[in-house]
Amino acid sequence: MNDIQNQSDLYLLVDEFYKKLLSDKSISYIFTDVVKIKIEEHLPILVTFWSQAILGTGGYAKNLTQIHLDIHKKEPLTPELFTIWLNHFYNSVDENFKGEKAEQIKTQALSIATVMQIKIAKEKDK
């Protein structure tokens, strides 16, 4: 199995990841009912995000934290949802890639999930 090397690899990863998310009833409603993403528009944005984070390509300019805080206002993003998200992400990486970048992207995903949960908790305290 190869490591993550380019945007094509990231597209494969994100596509496989979203197939898992959208087929899991315990989390899919966030994407289909709350946010109502158009997957064909959403995937390239996610590839750009991960490409910037893992490959250093740049190009992602949105406020990731604010996006998730806005979603949380519509529907609580619980610790359980973050756990489901991470498990699907880790499985998608492990089923398709092995190596330094694969480990790096899993660590980055854990960091993002942790920071988002901290930010959401702080919003509750306001």
Side-chain angles (χ1 to χ4, degrees):
M1 220 178 320
N2 292 326
D3 199 0
I4 297 167
Q5 298 174 22
N6 53 44
Q7 288 190 332
S8 295
D9 290 342
L10 290 170
Y11 192 92
L12 170 72
L13 171 60
V14 171
D15 188 47
E16 291 299 314
F17 172 51
Y18 267 78
K19 285 177 185 171
K20 290 180 187 322
L21 287 176
L22 294 173
S23 66
D24 183 339
K25 290 184 185 343
S26 65
I27 195 169
S28 63
Y29 70 95
I30 295 290
F31 304 95
T32 58
D33 300 338
V34 179
V35 181
K36 298 180 181 162
I37 63 165
K38 293 183 175 84
I39 196 70
E40 65 281 353
E41 294 171 13
H42 194 59
L43 289 182
I45 293 168
L46 293 170
V47 169
T48 300
F49 171 80
W50 285 114
S51 182
Q52 177 172 299
I54 301 303
L55 304 175
T57 56
Y60 185 84
K62 296 183 181 204
N63 184 332
L64 185 66
T65 301
Q66 192 59 54
I67 291 168
H68 288 83
L69 290 174
D70 292 345
I71 294 167
H72 180 71
K73 288 176 188 169
K74 295 178 185 177
E75 180 72 26
L77 296 178
T78 64
E80 293 77 18
L81 288 172
F82 281 101
T83 298
I84 294 165
W85 183 89
L86 273 173
N87 285 336
H88 285 310
F89 193 84
Y90 289 170
N91 288 336
S92 298
V93 173
D94 291 342
E95 289 168 5
N96 293 284
F97 300 101
K98 185 178 182 76
E100 185 180 327
K101 295 288 186 195
E103 293 306 312
Q104 182 184 350
I105 204 168
K106 290 190 295 186
T107 300
Q108 186 81 25
L110 175 59
S111 296
I112 291 167
T114 302
V115 168
M116 290 299 157
Q117 290 177 82
I118 291 167
K119 300 272 186 182
I120 286 168
K122 284 185 177 182
E123 281 294 307
K124 284 188 221 172
D125 295 340
K126 286 186 177 178

